[in-house]
Amino acid sequence: MTKRVLITGAAGFLGSHLCDYFIEKEYRVVGMDNLITGDLDNISHLFGQKNFEFYHHDVSKFVHVPGEIDYILHFASPASPIDYLKIPIQTLKVGSLGTHNLLGLALEKNARILVASTSEVYGDPLVHPQTEDYWGNVNPIGPRGVYDEAKRFQEAITMAYHTYHQLETRIVRIFNTYGPRMRLNDGRVLPAFIGQALRGEDLTVFGNGSQTRSFCYVSDLVEGIYRLLMSDYSQPVNIGNPDEISILDFADEIVKLTGTKQKVVFKELPKDDPTQRQPDITRARKLLDWEPKINREEGLKITYDYFKSLPPDKLYRKEHNTFEGYVRQRMAK
Ligand code: UDP
């Protein structure tokens, strides 16, 4: 019998790529999403496929899925700093209560569960590059605290289920990832810069742009996640691309890529914005024989082509679709 996998956050950026990956590998996929930040357009191509089902559900509430489940991938969560500010309570709940519900479901179904953790557990890191044994430097009550602490709690409860219940668990610490299907208005730096270039607006660099990030193309990340899921390793593993760049240099790359005539303007640096971030991927290299394959030039080109192809309503949309709105729109077609 083909294996069945539950993917939460299925309509989001990473969740939708994971759905594609598992469908491609001929798994049966159950997608789940409450669509507060996800977009059904990301998975509409999967509707009607015999191996794909979708549940419109908030995993912070009790989760029930009939039938067997072999794997659970918990990817539901707001994932950008402006979302944490807009929906802080939901952000906390999905990482904590949502994770608890899914761990319970994994026990019930005797499934292996992989949870999406984040480089944000390292906060504004004092160790560079970040290795998995670094405990982090997080402000629990700052604007990012709702995400960072929910994810830290997620790791703690996942390890507790592993040690207390001998549940098969995996924890991936995801560093900045980019690619098609990011939400153009989610405030993250890549969609922000490309959206600005496409709309003919100036590119907004926060602070002086000396802060660094390391960007991983989505297909590399998905491959790393699959390898971790199939491994027998229950400690956290960093997955990311160590190619580090300052945000100012990144803005220059986007200016060149898009050919925009607009300028780079400087805005206030958000509170608790990490000054540096780069994954140490020694563990992933050794254990999973994994490393990223797509360089930034290649990945950015694919991503820009995707954003260029979007209809104008997505380019200028301030808020994302609701489930009801989406259904209305599909019915009208
Ligand atoms: N950033 C920026 N301009 C923007 C959006 C973001 O300069 O319009 C900066 C932001 O301050 C941060 C970096 O880009 O230093 C990455 O921000 P993002 O929100 O993408 O991710 P995170 O901070 O969570 O890594």
Side-chain angles (χ1 to χ4, degrees):
M1 192 58 176
T2 50
K3 302 269 189 208
R4 189 161 180 246
V5 49
L6 168 65
I7 300 174
T8 77
F13 165 48
L14 298 181
S16 66
H17 284 283
L18 285 164
C19 288
D20 283 348
Y21 186 93
F22 279 89
I23 288 283
E24 178 81 11
K25 280 201 172 320
E26 298 190 341
Y27 285 75
R28 289 176 294 151
V29 173
V30 181
M32 188 173 281
D33 206 299
N34 69 353
L35 300 174
I36 58 171
T37 57
D39 186 340
L40 279 183
D41 285 347
N42 291 338
I43 47 169
S44 56
H45 58 285
L46 297 175
F47 285 95
Q49 290 225 16
K50 73 174 186 341
N51 279 343
F52 185 75
E53 304 161 71
F54 180 75
Y55 287 80
H56 180 215
H57 181 70
D58 179 351
V59 298
S60 308
K61 314 256 164 62
F62 182 79
V63 181
H64 172 69
V65 178
E68 78 229 30
I69 296 177
D70 301 286
Y71 301 109
I72 298 174
L73 289 99
H74 182 27
F75 277 72
S77 177
S80 90
I82 57 167
D83 288 340
Y84 318 150
L85 290 175
K86 273 195 250 169
I87 41 175
I89 315 280
Q90 283 100 326
T91 304
L92 275 161
K93 282 169 75 175
V94 72
S96 55
L97 306 181
T99 302
H100 186 208
N101 289 335
L102 292 160
L103 288 164
L105 183 70
L107 258 191
E108 159 75 22
K109 303 280 186 189
N110 200 15
R112 182 181 295 179
I113 180 168
L114 180 147
V115 297
S117 187
T118 166
S119 54
E120 283 284 321
V121 300
Y122 304 122
D124 190 1
L126 306 174
V127 165
H128 193 74
Q130 292 79 55
T131 48
E132 288 89 349
D133 51 16
Y134 176 49
W135 292 352
N137 176 36
V138 171
N139 174 3
I141 54 164
R144 290 170 176 257
V146 292
Y147 182 70
D148 301 6
E149 296 297 359
K151 292 291 188 180
R152 288 169 69 94
F153 174 87
Q154 176 184 65
E155 291 199 6
I157 193 170
T158 300
M159 283 316 288
Y161 267 70
H162 176 68
T163 49
Y164 187 76
H165 291 300
Q166 287 79 50
L167 186 69
E168 286 203 53
T169 57
R170 306 286 179 267
I171 299 172
V172 57
R173 290 190 182 147
I174 299 170
F175 283 66
N176 295 66
T177 304
Y178 69 97
R181 303 185 190 155
M182 291 184 93
R183 220 172 71 224
L184 250 184
N185 60 1
D186 83 354
R188 281 189 281 183
V189 66
L190 181 139
F193 286 171
I194 292 188
Q196 287 160 344
L198 288 172
R199 290 187 299 264
E201 298 164 7
D202 291 340
L203 272 59
T204 53
V205 166
F206 297 162
N208 62 11
S210 64
Q211 70 275 29
T212 66
R213 294 295 185 270
S214 307
F215 297 98
C216 183
Y217 186 67
V218 63
S219 62
D220 282 331
L221 181 92
V222 166
E223 179 62 32
I225 287 168
Y226 183 74
R227 288 187 190 203
L228 176 60
L229 179 68
M230 294 307 155
S231 78
D232 57 5
Y233 195 71
S234 53
Q235 297 290 309
V237 178
N238 289 339
I239 299 283
N241 189 325
D243 187 3
E244 185 180 3
I245 184 172
S246 77
I247 295 302
L248 189 56
D249 288 346
F250 188 61
D252 285 340
E253 285 191 359
I254 301 291
V255 168
K256 287 201 191 83
L257 172 76
T258 59
T260 178
K261 299 279 173 293
Q262 302 297 131
K263 26 179 217 317
V264 166
V265 294
F266 294 90
K267 300 264 177 194
E268 198 184 333
L269 188 68
K271 185 167 160 38
D272 297 341
D273 199 290
T275 49
Q276 52 181 358
R277 184 181 288 155
Q278 187 201 109
D280 181 316
I281 58 166
T282 311
R283 190 175 278 184
R285 278 202 173 103
K286 253 196 227 141
L287 287 172
L288 313 176
D289 189 26
W290 175 88
E291 63 181 10
K293 300 255 176 312
I294 310 272
N295 66 30
R296 215 171 35 247
E297 192 181 351
E298 217 178 322
L300 284 180
K301 193 178 166 321
I302 305 169
T303 309
Y304 179 48
D305 286 346
Y306 163 81
F307 281 125
K308 264 197 308 199
S309 73
L310 288 178
D313 75 302
K314 285 229 159 144
L315 189 56
Y316 290 96
R317 184 189 297 161
K318 289 273 181 279
E319 294 302 328
H320 30 272
N321 276 340
T322 59
F323 183 65
E324 290 68 26
Y326 184 84
V327 171
R328 258 201 311 279
Q329 191 189 319
R330 303 287 292 187
M331 305 267 280
K333 275 188 188 156

